[in-house]
Amino acid sequence: MSDSLERSTKINLLKESIVKKLCEVLDKSNSKGWRKLGEIVSSDRRFKVSSDDMEMCSLRVLEVEGSPSLMLLRLMGERGCTMGHLTDYLQTLGNSDALQCLKPPALQILIQPQSVALICGHNLRLSCHAVGKSPVQYQWFKSREEVPNSFSPELLISPVQLKDAGFYICRVNCGDACEFSQWAQVDVLNVTMSYAPGQSYQSIDGRLKLAIHPQSQRLHVGETLQLECGAVGRPIPRYQWHRNGVPIPNATKRKLMIPQVMQDHHGRYRCEISSSTERMWTNEVDVVIAPRISVQISGAMECSEDDIYAIGGDSCELFLNSLPEQLYATDKVALLIGNLSYQNHPQLKAPMVDVYDLTNLLRQLNFKVVSLLDLTESEMRNAVDEFLLLLHKGVYGLLYYAGHGYENYGNSFMVPVDAPNPYHSANCLCVQSILKLMQEKETGLNVFLLDMCRKRNIHDESTPNIVLRVTANIVFGYATCQDAEAFELSSTGFTNGVFVKFLKKRLLDDEKITVVLDRVAEDMGQFDATKGKQALEIRSSLSERRALTDPILPSDSADLVHAHSRQWAKAHELPESMSLNFDCGAQIKLGFAAEFSNVLVIYTHIVKKPEDMSFCQAHVTDFSLDLDVDPKEMNRETPEETGIYLLSSSLPQHCLYTRLSSLQKLREELVFTVCLQGTFAAMDDDHPIFWTKSVNIGKPLIARLDLHRAVRRNSCLQTCMMPHSPSQSPCHSPGPEHQHHLHHGSHQDYNRLSPQHGYLHISEHAQGAAGGCSFSCYDQLSQCDFDRAYESDGLLSSPGKLSIPIEATEDINELQAVFISSLHLQPQ
């Protein structure tokens, strides 16, 4: 590079390391520091620095690690100052140390060695290139030992062996100057264990390639769990192991080892493998932990269960028969539905948080979970159909519903978000109909957790005739008693309803499911805010000690199990993150996360931009009209601004975020546009320039299951048919004259809790009543508050930019005192 070119280079393009050294020198000097430099620059009309500018620079001294010199250099760079100008100013200043910072070093490493993961038997090549004022010499090291005959800029080991794995560094000498390169880690994979299907490893092009998948294991308590995975790529991949969808703390290596496993270590394991631009997942594998049974015979020896029959004796057989039987599930499947954004009825708040928290807890118990928000009638029926496809003999099936509901003649009905006002049984889903279909699958355990009101629907006189089989494996957990409401307490927090607030504290207990629910009922009974108004009701025909913590022992029907697993996996396949390269030289990372099975989060991050580009930002746009995305809530700088409250703490920072909900409505593959906007410092008008790329990510998450389709003939609709079904007597909303009449009956006493308005409220702002199936939410006389009125600490009415915690950690006694002291009816 010529001297004239160096002098013409703008100082805002200086390398960060040079700027840092220069600022350190100018900040420390009193007589020849940044103040004197500012005075010299201010005399130059081309880059005049005002007294206000100098005052702004001086304020940086008060900041932690603040640098007034850095502020001054930025001001000079914004006004077109070049290296030539800066050199002249520093010569006038007479600061030789500062001038020395601008001179090229006697030895400079231009290319650093990069960490790499590769296959045993391939060629390893590490590079380190440097320039200096005299010939440069190289010496490679592995840890602290010199690598023999490694005197060139490139270290080549061919073929690489397992023993060659480790950390490498290069020492560079140029005369009296000496520099060390950065460390490079080399990971060598032995893939004789397991090859990823359909992949080739003949060369490394820098992209991640999955080479080793973990294998399923069956262990006994006390044994050591060892799982291994591996990927090749440059730089070396990062690893994070997950169990039941939850990251395992400190499990960030290729090999996962857990000595002396316990019963609660059973579950489904997989590893997330990532680089700066890519992310992929290994296969998910089952780890089954069986209890180790040992007995002492005649006080002389200790035998395992496998040894007892070899010893023989009727007493041994009798002893084993007297031991409590370990119960297993062939699989565990859960469908969680939260309806809150109703079209014709009061909207709810807590279902979103309830579903999210239960999803995370059930995954820790090794459940395959499908979590969905805001489903219409047809979508709910199709979701139940897909749920039923996951069930087979011995499976534990769990259905949780949070939203409006009612109960007639012992049958419970879940209300979709598009239900008319008033609604009938034909517009809703009958829980007992779903149970009947589950029984046909010969499931091992059927658990229903219904977080809704159970008031009678006076607009529905149908009497469904649903004949259930007599099975000893059914458990119902109702959030409230028959003919009563379930409450939602509203305040400025963001937390669960009453039922889930107490349920999530007990759900992981290793107890019979009915015992768990009994303890939840006792906890709810101590909550003064709802005492005498809401109580958990448990109905059970369970004759065995079935628990949600029971381990999974897959059935012998391997093909059937794999088919069900593939079906479940469809609803949880996230698009892989991708790197987009634009013609201007910018590189964008496009990442994805799932908040629910039908809610996708897209985030964009600038990985690289041209040095002369002063501003760069990437937006996503042009989404399908099926998703009904609000442009005002797209491409926000914080997750909370776009409605992402529950994942905010786990998303990467410094991105633009977009939340896509209702993915079940997506009829075609999701195609959208990534728009890059940039401005260049050299342009006088500062008008932005745009580049676009079209991205197709297929059908993500639940969209793959096509829940938008028409209800199939063999769906749960057949068992929900009532005399007043849409095919016989369509439902209509009341006419305007009826609506007007009902509005006149809205005056009531707000100082007490009305038995017909199940809503507890401690906010001063009206947020709507909870009359789910009445003609109008103002109708006092209809006794129609059949909706779910949660106890929730509420969504923020005006979400700010602060991160909102997912789980409530408030002291329950303090919360009770607040509720009791300010209890009054929700204003209409």
Side-chain angles (χ1 to χ4, degrees), residues 105-180:
L107 177 62
Q108 185 177 7
I109 297 179
L110 302 179
I111 298 178
Q112 298 280 359
Q114 299 293 318
S115 297
V116 63
L118 72 169
I119 304 297
C120 181
H122 286 200
N123 297 331
L124 168 64
R125 185 186 300 273
L126 298 176
S127 300
C128 176
H129 288 269
V131 295
K133 296 182 177 179
S134 59
V136 178
Q137 298 174 331
Y138 299 88
Q139 174 63 60
W140 287 90
F141 293 79
K142 181 186 177 186
S143 296
R144 297 186 178 183
E145 301 295 328
E146 290 186 1
V147 179
N149 304 316
S150 57
F151 309 123
S152 65
E154 293 190 344
L155 175 65
L156 179 63
I157 301 178
S158 177
V160 69
Q161 304 297 325
L162 293 177
K163 63 181 179 63
D164 296 318
F167 291 86
Y168 291 79
I169 194 171
C170 186
R171 185 184 65 202
V172 184
N173 294 86
C174 180
D176 296 333
C178 176
E179 293 283 348
F180 280 91

Side-chain angles (χ1 to χ4, degrees), residues 2-252:
S2 66
D3 181 67
S4 60
L5 183 59
E6 287 182 357
R7 288 182 61 85
S8 64
T9 303
K10 292 185 178 181
I11 64 172
N12 56 2
L13 299 180
L14 280 174
K15 291 184 177 180
E16 185 178 351
S17 58
I18 297 177
V19 174
K20 184 178 180 180
K21 291 181 180 179
L22 180 59
C23 290
E24 288 177 355
V25 173
L26 294 175
D27 287 343
K28 293 178 181 178
S29 178
N30 294 324
S31 59
K32 299 180 180 181
W34 66 273
R35 289 186 181 276
K36 186 64 177 177
L37 177 62
E39 294 175 4
I40 296 173
V41 177
S42 63
S43 62
D44 192 331
R45 295 181 179 179
R46 293 171 296 180
F47 318 112
K48 188 172 182 180
V49 178
S50 66
S51 58
D52 291 339
D53 293 332
M54 294 299 294
E55 181 67 22
M56 190 188 331
C57 293
S58 64
L59 291 175
R60 295 301 297 269
V61 181
L62 303 177
E63 301 178 9
V64 178
E65 299 182 356
S67 172
S69 301
L70 180 60
M71 176 64 74
L72 177 60
L73 291 176
R74 285 177 178 173
L75 290 173
M76 294 167 61
E78 291 173 358
R79 297 170 190 183
C81 182
T82 64
M83 281 285 294
H85 298 133
L86 180 58
T87 302
D88 294 341
Y89 294 148
L90 294 177
Q91 288 176 345
T92 304
L93 182 64
N95 192 326
S96 58
D97 291 337
L99 283 169
Q100 190 65 33
C101 295
L102 300 181
K103 293 182 179 180
L107 177 62
Q108 185 177 7
I109 297 179
L110 302 179
I111 298 178
Q112 298 280 359
Q114 299 293 318
S115 297
V116 63
L118 72 169
I119 304 297
C120 181
H122 286 200
N123 297 331
L124 168 64
R125 185 186 300 273
L126 298 176
S127 300
C128 176
H129 288 269
V131 295
K133 296 182 177 179
S134 59
V136 178
Q137 298 174 331
Y138 299 88
Q139 174 63 60
W140 287 90
F141 293 79
K142 181 186 177 186
S143 296
R144 297 186 178 183
E145 301 295 328
E146 290 186 1
V147 179
N149 304 316
S150 57
F151 309 123
S152 65
E154 293 190 344
L155 175 65
L156 179 63
I157 301 178
S158 177
V160 69
Q161 304 297 325
L162 293 177
K163 63 181 179 63
D164 296 318
F167 291 86
Y168 291 79
I169 194 171
C170 186
R171 185 184 65 202
V172 184
N173 294 86
C174 180
D176 296 333
C178 176
E179 293 283 348
F180 280 91
S181 71
Q182 67 185 18
W183 286 98
Q185 181 183 359
V186 175
D187 190 12
V188 182
L189 278 64
N190 182 5
V191 298
T192 57
M193 301 170 56
S194 172
Y195 285 88
Q199 293 211 16
S200 172
Y201 307 101
Q202 299 306 312
S203 64
I204 296 179
D205 56 6
R207 295 182 61 86
L208 286 182
K209 293 181 180 178
L210 193 54
I212 301 176
H213 284 278
Q215 303 295 313
S216 297
Q217 295 197 28
R218 296 189 181 190
L219 304 170
H220 285 91
V221 171
E223 295 181 341
T224 299
L225 170 63
Q226 295 188 38
L227 296 175
E228 181 181 3
C229 67
V232 298
R234 188 190 302 267
I236 197 167
R238 298 186 296 268
Y239 297 89
Q240 175 61 63
W241 287 91
H242 293 245
R243 180 171 69 89
N244 301 330
V246 180
I248 303 174
N250 302 319
T252 56

